[in-house]
């Protein structure tokens, strides 16, 4: 008999695993998350969430805490021979827009991001089980059984491997991890304490015979990320990372005393790995994040791709596990995310190539890789079987659903579309008063799965007690019995972002992961129903 049972077992408690656990827990799915580490790591590693990941974190209810814990991207100061050559600010001309409120990535230590995510997960009564090393995995017709090193067994309906590039889950499944490791591209890394350097910039000393990079860790007084080309011994063998080695490298490339560095911890040697799986699923077991794909760190795409893997999988697992969707829905996880992993591999390789070329010349630096990339890879799945129907001049089915500032006609308060989307439901937007009957019908027919909102550019309508758009007898706007709400698009930002002309009546269905499911003219509510009732989405 298994030691314990659960609906979903997540192996690995990094940002990918924690994102998935939160998404499942908020949907009332019984979830267990384990990690082989005996204690939570304090490594700073990944530099932080990008624009799209911040949108995910907003939906999960933690974005404000993440923003407070981090900092905006810093200018990069490039040196040659210890002399400052130039400063660069890759994101200097990037600003939030009505459809993209998080235009800038956020620099935050990975350990701090994980703390925030664990805190959110704990509000659902779920905590990470530490010291739980997976050593065996067997699958049956209705469940999978995980065996741990201490002899415990956990039986789960589904298992998700979020356990990194050395994934035990992937190895136990026998899934190949095809690609290459470039032994010539190597860095030694660690968290250090340092006094002296300006904490307002990311310092990058690039010379012909090596490099040192020093980036301040937000929320610390003297903590820095240290990255460098390794020393080599007399035989040409790279010297393992250590405080002494870091101090020598620092003195060599900066011209400053090496003793400015102290307390080097979480030391590691990084080699450029470019690998990915050829499948994301084997039976009842799934792979996500670095367990499915690893690549160059150029551009900071790794952690963010994993977070977005989890966000794509979470709502699908929850609907299937609760019996509200056919298991075929789970096939769309691989369908949508595997091409994204391939794109990330290509993009990060190109960014690494551009960086290596740039640093050959004075003034070159990591800004060659850190160019703005709105919403990141995977911001749309137009090839997906879930991208059923429809397009406007600015938006296709399968695309990321844009944000827009609106006004809630029930309260008169501002309400962004992302706030309307927040939660584990589909959202139906009706642009134009002509969509009122469809919104009312949909909000009644699918009240357990869907929220409905009417949007217009002139702000003159709401939903009265009879479910019709307009002002009720008391001059108040409100919610109808079915739950449809009126939104005033006072600035026209919503129509603009969705590419819907003034006076045009259009229905837009938004998936629980804030991607567009379909776009149809008013009067085509049948298409919405068919989407929600399709075998891959909702059992009859």
């Amino acid at each position: 008999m298994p030691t314990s049972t659960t609906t979903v077992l997540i192996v690995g408690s990094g940002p990918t695993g924690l994102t998935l656990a939160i998404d499942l827990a908020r949907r009332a799915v019984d979830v267990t998350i384990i990690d082989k580490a005996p204690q939570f790591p304090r490594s700073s590693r990944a530099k932080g969430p990008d624009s799209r990941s911040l949108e995910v974190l907003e939906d999960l209810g933690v974005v404000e805490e993440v923003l407070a814990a981090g900092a905006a991207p810093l200018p990069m100061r490039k040196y040659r021979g210890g002399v400052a050559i130039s400063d660069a600010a890759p994101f200097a001309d990037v600003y939030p827009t009505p459809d993209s409120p998080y235009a800038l990535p956020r620099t935050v230590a990975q350990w701090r991001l994980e703390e925030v995510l664990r805190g959110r997960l704990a509000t659902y009564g779920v905590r990470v089980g530490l010291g739980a090393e997976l050593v065996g995995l067997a699958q049956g017709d209705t469940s999978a059984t995980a065996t741990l090193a201490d002899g415990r067994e956990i039986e789960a309906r589904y298992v998700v491997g979020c356990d990194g590039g050395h994934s035990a889950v992937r190895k136990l499944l026998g899934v190949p991890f095809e690609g290459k490791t470039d032994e010539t591209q190597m860095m030694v890394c660690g968290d250090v304490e340092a006094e002296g350097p300006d904490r307002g910039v990311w310092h990058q000393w690039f010379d012909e015979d090596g490099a040192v990079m020093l980036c301040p860790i937000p929320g610390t007084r003297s903590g820095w990320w240290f990255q460098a080309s390794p020393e080599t011994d007399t035989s040409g063998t790279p010297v393992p990372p250590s405080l002494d080695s870091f101090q020598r490298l620092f003195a060599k490339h900066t011209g400053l005393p090496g003793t400015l560095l102290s307390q080097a911890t979480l030391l590691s040697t990084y080699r450029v790995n470019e690998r990915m799986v050829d499948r994301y699923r084997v039976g009842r077991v799934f792979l996500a994040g670095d367990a499915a794909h690893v690549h160059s760190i150029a551009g900071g795409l790794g952690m963010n791709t994993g977070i977005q893997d989890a966000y794509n999988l979470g709502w699908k697992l929850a609907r299937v596990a609760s019996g509200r969707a056919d298991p075929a829905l789970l096939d769309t996880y691989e369908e949508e995310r595997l091409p994204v992993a391939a794109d990330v591999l290509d993009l990060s390789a190109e960014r690494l190539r551009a960086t290596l070329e740039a640093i050959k010349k004075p003034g070159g630096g990591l800004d060659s890789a850190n160019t703005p990339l709105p919403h990141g890879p995977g911001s749309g799945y137009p090839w997906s079987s879930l991208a059923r129907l429809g397009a406007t001049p600015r938006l296709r089915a399968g695309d990321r659903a844009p944000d827009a500032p609106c006004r809630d006609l029930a309260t008169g308060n501002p309400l962004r579309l992302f706030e309307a989307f927040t939660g584990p439901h589909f959202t139906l937007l009706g642009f134009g008063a002509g969509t009122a009957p469809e919104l009312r019908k949909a909000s009644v027919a699918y009240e357990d799965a869907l929220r409905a909102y009417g949007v217009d550019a002139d702000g003159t309508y709401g939903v009265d007690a009879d479910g019709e758009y307009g002002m009720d007898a008391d001059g108040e706007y409100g919610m109808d019995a079915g739950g449809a709400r009126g939104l005033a698009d006072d600035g026209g930002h919503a129509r603009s972002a969705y590419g819907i002309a003034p006076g045009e009546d259009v229905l837009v269905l938004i998936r629980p992961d804030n991607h567009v499911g379909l776009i149809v003219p008013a009067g085509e509510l049948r298409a919405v129903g068919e989407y929600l009732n399709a075998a891959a989405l909702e059992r009859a």
Side-chain angles (χ1 to χ4, degrees):
M1 292 292 291
T3 306
S4 61
T5 60
T6 189
T7 301
V8 178
L9 171 64
I10 298 171
V11 182
S13 67
T16 300
L18 291 168
T19 296
L20 180 59
I22 294 168
D23 205 16
L24 292 171
R26 69 174 179 156
R27 299 171 193 274
V29 175
D30 181 24
V31 59
T32 298
I33 178 169
I34 61 173
D35 200 293
K36 70 177 182 180
Q39 58 189 16
F40 296 120
R42 294 284 293 184
S43 174
S44 300
R45 289 187 288 178
K47 295 295 189 297
D50 63 12
S51 173
R52 180 58 181 156
S53 291
L54 288 170
E55 294 176 358
V56 173
L57 296 173
E58 178 180 359
D59 189 28
L60 299 182
V62 297
V63 72
E64 294 301 328
E65 193 172 355
V66 171
L67 292 174
L74 293 173
M76 300 179 183
R77 180 162 297 163
K78 280 79 69 70
Y79 301 78
R80 201 75 163 191
V83 177
I85 298 295
S86 65
D87 285 2
F91 299 95
D93 297 326
V94 178
Y95 301 97
T97 60
D99 66 329
S100 181
Y102 306 109
L104 292 173
R106 198 70 175 172
T107 303
V108 59
Q110 183 169 325
W111 62 263
R112 182 67 185 101
L113 175 62
E114 290 174 359
E115 276 189 345
V116 172
L117 292 172
R118 286 197 301 270
R120 181 61 170 168
L121 184 60
T123 66
Y124 298 102
V126 180
R127 287 176 169 76
V128 177
L130 292 172
E133 182 179 2
L134 181 74
V135 296
L137 189 59
Q139 296 194 60
D141 293 338
T142 60
S143 65
T145 301
T147 303
L148 306 185
D150 61 7
R152 288 180 294 157
E153 291 186 343
I154 303 173
E155 184 179 346
R157 287 180 59 190
Y158 298 100
V159 176
V160 187
C162 303
D163 49 342
H166 299 289
S167 171
V169 174
R170 186 188 65 242
K171 293 173 182 176
L172 289 168
L173 291 174
V175 175
F177 208 34
E178 300 293 343
K180 63 182 180 179
T181 300
D182 188 344
E183 296 289 350
T184 67
Q185 297 297 329
M186 184 183 302
M187 288 194 305
V188 288
C189 311
D191 288 7
V192 300
E193 294 291 319
E195 298 288 349
D198 180 357
R199 290 183 63 83
V201 295
W202 183 352
H203 302 273
Q204 301 171 13
W205 291 271
F206 290 104
D207 296 316
E208 292 182 4
D209 60 347
V212 165
M213 290 158 280
L214 203 60
C215 182
I217 301 174
T220 65
R221 186 189 65 81
S222 56
W224 299 77
W225 288 295
F226 181 94
Q227 299 167 283
S229 306
E231 291 184 298
T232 55
D233 61 21
T234 54
S235 67
T237 302
V239 174
S242 68
L243 175 59
D244 287 345
S245 177
F246 284 5
Q247 289 175 331
R248 289 191 296 269
L249 287 165
F250 184 77
K252 173 184 176 182
H253 291 287
T254 70
L256 300 171
T259 52
L260 290 177
L261 302 188
S262 62
Q263 300 184 35
T265 58
L266 300 162
L267 306 179
S268 64
T269 298
Y270 169 81
R271 294 170 177 82
V272 173
N273 280 298
E274 296 176 341
R275 298 180 181 276
M276 65 175 287
V277 297
D278 61 359
R279 73 203 83 159
Y280 267 43
R281 179 186 185 185
V282 178
R284 293 182 169 273
V285 184
F286 301 82
L287 298 170
D290 286 356
H293 45 77
V294 295
H295 40 79
S296 159
I297 60 174
L301 300 173
M303 180 189 74
N304 291 291
T305 306
I307 287 173
Q308 291 150 40
D309 282 348
Y311 194 52
N312 183 284
L313 179 59
W315 70 276
K316 298 171 182 178
L317 261 180
R319 292 181 71 80
V320 173
S322 64
R324 300 180 67 193
D326 190 277
L329 177 61
L330 296 174
D331 294 334
T332 67
Y333 169 58
E334 177 179 300
E335 177 190 5
E336 293 183 341
R337 293 304 296 176
L338 192 62
V340 173
D343 285 348
V344 169
L345 209 65
D346 291 342
L347 179 59
S348 60
E350 172 55 29
R351 287 185 165 189
L352 177 63
R353 185 206 62 76
T355 301
L356 293 176
E357 189 64 30
I359 63 177
K360 293 177 181 178
K361 302 176 183 178
L366 299 187
D367 50 307
S368 301
N370 281 25
T371 51
L373 187 68
H375 311 124
S379 58
Y381 311 113
W383 61 85
S384 171
S385 59
L386 297 182
R388 297 289 176 84
L389 182 68
T392 73
R394 294 198 61 178
L395 205 63
R396 303 164 296 177
D399 284 351
R400 161 194 169 272
D403 195 11
C406 295
R407 178 166 47 87
D408 186 344
L409 292 172
T411 65
N413 296 327
L415 183 73
R416 293 166 42 234
L417 289 185
F418 277 1
E419 293 173 308
F421 300 162
T422 297
H425 55 77
F426 287 84
T427 304
L428 182 61
L429 298 179
F431 287 87
T435 62
E438 282 81 6
L439 290 179
R440 182 167 186 255
K441 291 175 185 176
S443 63
V444 172
Y446 304 105
E447 61 179 338
D448 292 336
L450 178 145
R451 289 182 188 172
Y453 293 85
V455 185
D456 211 347
D458 58 12
T460 60
Y461 70 92
V463 181
D464 70 11
D466 295 323
E468 297 299 326
Y469 290 105
M471 188 175 291
D472 71 11
D474 295 324
E476 299 293 336
Y477 298 105
M479 179 186 294
D480 75 359
R485 296 289 291 267
L487 297 179
D489 184 20
D490 293 328
H493 296 297
R495 279 190 179 267
S496 175
Y498 283 74
I500 298 170
E504 192 175 6
D505 294 336
V506 175
L507 295 170
V508 181
L509 183 66
I510 311 299
R511 296 169 16 171
D513 62 348
N514 297 0
H515 283 78
V516 177
L518 83 168
I519 304 169
V520 293
E524 295 291 331
L525 184 62
R526 179 185 296 272
V528 175
E530 288 174 350
Y531 190 101
L532 292 172
N533 289 318
L537 283 170
E538 186 82 45
R539 291 183 186 273

